Amino acid sequence: QVKLVESGGGSVQAGGSLRLSCSASKSLRTYCVGWFRQSPQKEREALATIDSTGDTSYADSVKGRFTISQDNGKTTLYLDMSNLKPEDTAMYRCAAQPACRMTAAQALRDITRDYFGYWGEGTQVTVSS
């Protein structure tokens, strides 16, 4: 069992930056991990993933603006977001899947599906124009 807790959300103006954190109850060394977001008006959207080898993959909508990373102990996942836009407003959630052999690109396709076994509750990001 793994518990994931997100933090770092808030309200920012367009063009601003935020760093989201996802704290895990144990090391996620062999896991695929990632971030996705959801809002009442849109379907869940995969944002970025890291596979068990450390490779990353990003959705086109955030490539160049968002950066996913982990601490050395693999207990905290980060999402650095810059040049935020009003359309980035959403609940941001992290997810993890143990014993993961997917590539980061495959994980990006699957993170919003039931394949990822552990999800956090989310942290709200609101971007005003």
Side-chain angles (χ1 to χ4, degrees), residues 21-66:
S21 298
C22 171
S23 295
S25 57
K26 66 179 188 180
S27 175
L28 303 178
R29 288 193 183 279
T30 62
Y31 288 57
C32 291
V33 294
W35 292 90
F36 67 96
R37 64 189 178 191
Q38 60 186 99
S39 64
Q41 299 82 15
K42 299 180 182 179
E43 294 182 350
R44 290 175 187 164
E45 180 184 10
L47 300 175
T49 51
I50 303 176
D51 66 22
S52 58
T53 70
D55 286 343
T56 59
S57 186
Y58 294 90
D60 288 342
S61 60
V62 303
K63 198 173 296 183
R65 299 190 299 125
F66 291 10

Side-chain angles (χ1 to χ4, degrees), residues 1-126:
Q1 290 286 339
V2 174
K3 184 176 182 180
L4 303 173
V5 180
E6 300 92 337
S7 61
S11 297
V12 296
Q13 290 192 327
S17 301
L18 281 174
R19 172 177 251 204
L20 305 184
S21 298
C22 171
S23 295
S25 57
K26 66 179 188 180
S27 175
L28 303 178
R29 288 193 183 279
T30 62
Y31 288 57
C32 291
V33 294
W35 292 90
F36 67 96
R37 64 189 178 191
Q38 60 186 99
S39 64
Q41 299 82 15
K42 299 180 182 179
E43 294 182 350
R44 290 175 187 164
E45 180 184 10
L47 300 175
T49 51
I50 303 176
D51 66 22
S52 58
T53 70
D55 286 343
T56 59
S57 186
Y58 294 90
D60 288 342
S61 60
V62 303
K63 198 173 296 183
R65 299 190 299 125
F66 291 10
T67 301
I68 189 171
S69 62
Q70 284 181 285
D71 69 329
N72 289 337
K74 309 293 186 186
T75 59
T76 305
L77 181 67
Y78 302 102
L79 186 68
D80 288 292
M81 307 185 296
S82 63
N83 192 22
L84 284 162
K85 306 174 182 180
E87 51 264 41
D88 293 320
T89 295
M91 180 71 74
Y92 283 68
R93 301 176 70 180
C94 60
Q97 174 58 29
C100 180
R101 298 186 177 186
M102 290 187 291
T103 65
Q106 291 170 333
L108 190 68
R109 290 197 298 268
D110 286 342
I111 192 171
T112 57
R113 304 174 187 175
D114 291 341
Y115 184 83
F116 272 65
Y118 301 101
W119 295 8
E121 293 297 316
T123 185
Q124 179 68 36
V125 172
T126 302

